[in-house]
Amino acid sequence: MNKNKLKSTIMDSMVLTGIGLAGFYWVCESFMYFFLAPEANFFQHVLGPDIFQTWTRLLVLCLFVIFGSHVQYTVNKRRAADDALRDSEEKYRTILENIEEGYFETDLEGNLTFFSDPFCKILGYPRSQLLGMNTRKYTTPATAEKIIRKTARLKKTGRPENVTDYDIIRKNGTNVALELSLSLLNDQNGQPMGYRGMLRDVSDRKRTEDEKHKLENQLQQAQKMESIGTLAGGIAHDFNNILMGIQGNASLMLLKIDSDHPNYEKVKNVEKYVQNGTELTKQLLGFARRGKYLIKATDLNEIIDKSSALFARTRKEIQVHTDLSDELWTVEVDRGQIEQVLLNLYVNAWQAMSEGGSLYLITKNAILDGNYIKAYKVEPGKYVKFTVSDTGEGIDKETQKRIFEPFFTTKEMGRGTGLGLASVYGIIKSHGGYINVYSEKDRGTTFTIFLPASGKEVAKEKGAATAMIKGSGNVLLIDDEEMVVDVGRELLQELGYSVMPALSGREAIDIFRTNQGKIDLIIMDMIMPGMGGGETFDRLRKIDPEIKVLLSSGYSIDGQATKILQRGCNGFIQKPFKLNQLAEKIQKIMENR
Ligand SMILES: Nc1ncnc2c1ncn2[C@@H]1O[C@H](COP(=O)(O)OP(=O)(O)OP(=O)(O)O)[C@@H](O)[C@H]1O
Ligand SMILES: [Mg+2]
C-alpha cells in the first residue's frame, strides 16, 4: 500500500517536474521578452503575453508533461523489473540455502564457480576453500571416473544425468555416499559453459530403507520358518504313527522268533531303520519347536560329561577338552532334546575336522543385561552359557547366514540332511534360550548357547529298565489311528494286560463309564480329531480322579503335552516306542497303585 503511494507520488512528481520546467520556461521567456521589449513591465510579460507566446508556452508545457510522464513510465518499468529480479533472486537464494540438497556450478573443467551453503555443509569445507576447487579433489577415484563418463554423455546428449553412489571424502577424511543430479550449464549462445549439480545426502534414507528391508526379510524368514515348522511337525506326527506300526510289529515278531531264526537279523535291522527314522522325526520336531515334553531341572554339566565321554570314545581322532563350571546353575530342560542338541553340534564339529582336531566344551554362569539383550533378543536375567568350539574348517560369512535354515547343507547327498542345526535352533528357542555362531574360514567354529537358569534342585533320573517287566490288569487304549491301536493292543497283550481299544475320545469315555472300577490304566493319544487328548483327559479324570493315565504321542502342539502332564497325567511316552520302553513306563505308573 505504502509502496504504491510512494510510486504514485514519484509519478506525480515527474509530471510536476514537467509542469515546473514548463513554468520555468514561461518565466525565462517572459524575461527574454521583457529585455527585448522593455516598454511593458515584466509581470505583463508573465501574465499577459500575446497569443503567439501563449501558444508556444502551452506547447512547451505539453511537451514537458508528455516527456516527463514518458520518462517516469520508463523509469518505473525498469524499477519494477529490477524489483522483480531482486525478489526472484532472493527467493531462489532462500530456496537454495534452505533445502537440504547442496547446489553447485562448475566450469567445464569441474572447478567450482558457485555453490550454496548446504553444499559446503555436506562437504564439510569452508566456503573460502571451496571456491575454485576442482570436484575431483573431494571425490573418490572411482566416483571421479564415473563423473568423467557421465559428463561426456551429458555433453553429447544434453540430457540430465543421475549419479547414485557419488562417494565423496569430507574434509575430516570421512567417506559419505551421496546422490547427484547433474545437468549442463549453457551460455547465452546456447554453448556449454559448465555443469550444475544437486547433491543429496541419502545416508539417512538408505539406513531407513536398509532397516525396513531387513525387517521385511526377518518377517518373511519368520513366516517361512513358521510354515515349514508346521509342515515339519505334521510330517513328524504322521511319520511317527507309521513308525509305531512298524516298530510294534517288529517287536512282536522278535518275541516269537529265536535269535538263530534266519529272519531274526532282518527284523533287528527293521528296528534299526525305524530308529534312524525316529532320529529324523526328532530333528523335525526339534526344528518345529515341538517335542519338548519332559521338562526337568537339570545339571547341564552332567549331560555334557556323559555325552562327550561317549563321543570321545567313538571318535578317537578328536580330542575333547572340557572346562565345566563347578557352580553351574541348573536349567529346566527336556533332557532328551538337549542331548540331541549336543549330539548335533559334536557331529558337525567332527565332520568339520576330517584330519582330526580338538573340541572344547565350556560351561559358565552368565547374567545377561543391556547389550546382550539387544544382541541376542532374550529376556534379561540369569543364564547358563555353553560354548562348543572346534578347530575345523570353519564357515565363511555367506554360509553362516544360512546354517540354521532347515535342509541347508553343504555336505554331499546322503551325508547331511541339513536338519541338524535347524533342530538345534528350534530346541534352544523353545527353551527360551539363544544360539549364536562365530567362525573364521580354516580357523574353526564356536557355537555359543544361552539357556535360562532355574533356581530348582536337580531332579533325579530314575534308572532305565533293563529287563522287560510283565504285568496284569485292564488297559483302555485310545488312539484315532487303527494301525497304532492294533499293534498297541498286541504289544500290551504280550506284556500280560487285557486291552479295551477306543478309536476316539468320545468312545473311550463311554467304555470307561460302562466299565467303571475295572480299568487300571489308560494309554491315550494326544492329537485326535473331535475331542482331543486334553479334553478327554479332563473328562476321564472327572469320572474317576484317581485313574492312571499314560500319554503317548508322536507330536505335540506347543506344550500341550506339558500342560496335560502338569494337570496330573502320570507319564508320557514318545511314539514310536519299543516293547521294553512301554513295559517300563507302565510298570513305573502301576507300581504306585
Ligand atoms: N562345526 C562346523 N564347522 C563347519 N561347518 C559347519 C559346522 N557346523 C555346521 N556347519 C555347516 O552348517 C551346515 C548345516 O549344518 P546342519 O547340522 O544343519 O546340517 P548338516 O550337518 O549338513 O546335515 P545333518 O546335520 O542333518 O546331518 C553344514 O552343512 C556345514 O556346512
Ligand atoms: Mg549336522
Side-chain angles (χ1 to χ4, degrees):
M1 191 74 172
N2 271 345
K3 222 174 172 181
N4 283 344
K5 212 170 170 183
L6 194 70
K7 259 187 189 170
S8 66
T9 320
I10 294 169
M11 176 84 178
D12 288 350
S13 85
M14 282 312 274
V15 176
L16 283 177
T17 312
I19 295 168
L21 283 173
F24 180 65
Y25 173 78
W26 190 295
V27 174
C28 288
E29 207 192 41
S30 302
F31 265 116
M32 196 179 79
Y33 281 101
F34 170 64
F35 286 121
L36 287 175
E39 56 275 14
N41 72 28
F42 174 69
F43 286 102
Q44 279 170 328
H45 281 292
V46 174
L47 299 172
D50 60 29
I51 191 74
F52 174 73
Q53 286 171 20
T54 307
W55 275 115
T56 52
R57 284 174 195 186
L58 283 176
L59 190 68
V60 168
L61 178 72
C62 284
L63 282 176
F64 267 122
V65 169
I66 291 167
F67 180 71
S69 43
H70 175 73
V71 168
Q72 184 64 60
Y73 173 75
T74 319
V75 166
N76 276 357
K77 216 166 121 184
R78 186 159 301 163
R79 197 173 289 155
D82 282 353
D83 282 352
L85 190 66
R86 202 171 318 114
D87 278 356
S88 121
E89 261 182 11
E90 186 62 34
K91 196 160 124 192
Y92 285 114
R93 175 174 305 280
T94 320
I95 292 173
L96 277 189
E97 300 308 336
N98 283 298
I99 53 172
E100 279 178 21
E101 280 86 349
Y103 176 83
F104 68 92
E105 291 176 4
T106 68
D107 57 18
L108 286 172
E109 274 72 51
N111 301 315
L112 290 167
T113 52
F114 176 82
F115 43 82
S116 64
D117 283 345
F119 177 81
C120 306
K121 223 159 95 191
I122 292 175
L123 262 63
Y125 277 94
R127 178 168 276 279
S128 55
Q129 278 187 22
L130 276 176
L131 203 63
M133 187 190 273
N134 196 287
T135 55
R136 252 179 316 213
K137 179 110 197 281
Y138 56 77
T139 46
T140 59
T143 300
E145 289 247 327
K146 208 186 308 184
I147 291 301
I148 291 173
R149 281 199 310 274
K150 293 268 181 187
T151 46
R153 201 159 62 191
L154 181 59
K155 252 163 105 182
K156 216 159 122 192
T157 64
R159 274 200 299 274
E161 293 279 340
N162 254 332
V163 189
T164 48
D165 295 328
Y166 183 76
D167 295 331
I168 62 149
I169 307 159
R170 286 199 167 114
K171 187 168 191 245
N172 61 10
T174 54
N175 275 47
V176 59
L178 304 170
E179 231 172 64
L180 169 70
S181 313
L182 203 61
S183 57
L184 214 49
L185 203 59
N186 290 330
D187 63 13
Q188 283 144 338
N189 305 321
Q191 290 304 310
M193 57 175 268
Y195 305 100
R196 67 159 71 88
M198 206 60 151
L199 265 190
R200 272 176 297 277
D201 186 350
V202 286
S203 37
D204 271 353
R205 197 182 78 202
K206 261 200 175 148
R207 217 177 353 249
T208 342
E209 269 172 16
D210 283 355
E211 220 131 79
K212 198 174 142 211
H213 200 65
K214 219 164 112 190
L215 278 178
E216 274 172 5
N217 264 352
Q218 271 176 358
L219 187 70
Q220 250 177 21
Q221 190 68 5
Q223 281 170 343
K224 192 173 100 186
M225 289 295 209
E226 185 69 36
S227 50
I228 302 179
T230 313
L231 180 78
I235 293 173
H237 169 247
D238 289 358
F239 222 74
N240 274 347
N241 274 338
I242 296 169
L243 290 176
M244 182 67 245
I246 303 172
Q247 173 62 61
N249 280 301
S251 289
L252 290 167
M253 279 164 85
L254 284 175
L255 279 179
K256 306 282 180 229
I257 54 177
D258 289 332
S259 54
D260 51 5
H261 190 278
N263 285 337
Y264 184 83
E265 277 310 311
K266 294 205 171 58
V267 182
K268 272 280 183 201
N269 278 345
V270 170
E271 271 202 324
K272 210 168 78 198
Y273 293 133
V274 168
Q275 192 52 39
N276 289 350
T278 313
E279 296 302 328
L280 197 70
T281 55
K282 262 195 206 157
Q283 300 278 54
L284 281 174
L285 285 176
F287 160 63
R289 301 197 196 168
R290 314 271 189 248
K292 184 179 127 197
Y293 305 124
L294 301 167
I295 299 141
K296 286 183 190 148
T298 302
D299 177 8
L300 192 64
N301 284 346
E302 215 174 277
I303 305 186
I304 295 170
D305 247 347
K306 264 194 216 151
S307 58
S308 65
L310 183 73
F311 184 75
R313 262 205 308 281
T314 51
R315 311 278 146 77
K316 293 269 192 257
E317 66 276 29
I318 308 252
Q319 310 227 316
V320 180
H321 309 269
T322 51
D323 177 6
L324 310 178
S325 158
D326 291 336
E327 305 275 283
L328 200 68
W329 292 320
T330 56
V331 283
E332 282 184 66
V333 295
D334 182 314
R335 293 179 189 178
Q337 283 209 315
I338 295 301
E339 276 165 13
Q340 189 182 329
V341 165
L342 298 178
L343 202 68
N344 274 319
L345 294 175
Y346 299 162
V347 170
N348 279 348
W350 167 66
Q351 288 172 335
M353 298 187 284
S354 46
E355 314 272 276
S358 295
L359 182 69
Y360 297 89
L361 310 173
I362 305 164
T363 56
K364 247 190 208 148
N365 290 331
I367 292 179
L368 298 191
D369 51 25
N371 298 337
Y372 273 105
I373 296 161
K374 251 202 186 146
Y376 298 115
K377 297 189 191 76
V378 289
E379 295 287 315
K382 289 177 162 183
Y383 282 80
V384 167
K385 181 181 174 188
F386 169 48
T387 50
V388 183
S389 304
D390 64 56
T391 54
E393 63 195 21
I395 316 170
D396 62 51
K397 289 274 172 283
E398 273 312 298
T399 312
Q400 275 179 40
K401 287 185 197 152
R402 304 195 54 196
I403 52 170
F404 295 111
E405 279 179 24
F407 309 110
F408 173 81
T409 179
T410 56
K411 293 163 193 168
E412 69 261 36
M413 276 285 270
R415 191 136 190 256
T417 58
L419 273 174
L421 286 179
S423 77
V424 167
Y425 186 85
I427 291 171
I428 297 301
K429 272 272 171 197
S430 73
H431 280 81
Y434 191 82
I435 179 163
N436 164 35
V437 62
Y438 176 80
S439 184
E440 278 179 39
K441 199 81 193 114
D442 301 323
R443 290 266 180 96
T445 305
T446 299
F447 285 96
T448 308
I449 290 176
F450 290 98
L451 283 171
S454 142
K456 292 190 184 159
E457 285 276 303
V458 175
K460 283 272 162 290
E461 186 82 87
K462 287 180 192 131
T466 41
M468 198 173 69
I469 316 139
K470 291 208 171 197
S472 63
N474 290 321
V475 178
L476 172 59
L477 177 64
I478 320 167
D479 202 304
D480 62 309
E481 286 280 337
E482 227 172 310
M483 174 179 62
V484 177
V485 171
D486 286 347
V487 78
R489 176 168 45 193
E490 272 194 69
L491 287 173
L492 287 163
Q493 280 166 350
E494 282 301 332
L495 290 173
Y497 301 99
S498 16
V499 181
M500 294 177 209
L503 283 165
S504 71
R506 221 164 281 283
E507 192 186 337
I509 286 163
D510 289 342
I511 296 175
F512 191 60
R513 263 212 195 93
T514 42
N515 293 287
Q516 221 167 337
K518 284 186 224 150
I519 293 172
D520 304 290
L521 172 74
I522 298 172
I523 300 179
M524 184 179 86
D525 187 24
M526 203 166 54
I527 311 282
M528 291 184 289
M531 194 188 292
E535 196 185 340
T536 312
F537 173 77
D538 291 342
R539 291 210 184 180
L540 291 168
R541 271 286 163 92
K542 221 178 196 173
I543 301 167
D544 180 0
E546 298 294 311
I547 187 67
K548 308 262 186 223
V549 182
L550 172 63
L551 200 61
S552 102
S553 183
Y555 168 77
S556 136
I557 295 166
D558 253 354
Q560 221 187 65
T562 319
K563 277 185 211 142
I564 302 176
L565 285 167
Q566 278 165 354
R567 292 211 292 273
C569 182
N570 306 76
F572 175 83
I573 189 161
Q574 164 94 56
K575 281 190 244 175
F577 44 78
K578 286 189 184 169
L579 193 57
N580 58 342
Q581 288 168 327
L582 178 67
E584 181 211 344
K585 285 275 174 189
I586 297 177
Q587 190 60 30
K588 250 191 219 165
I589 295 174
M590 299 290 250
E591 72 192 11
N592 302 329
R593 246 190 307 193

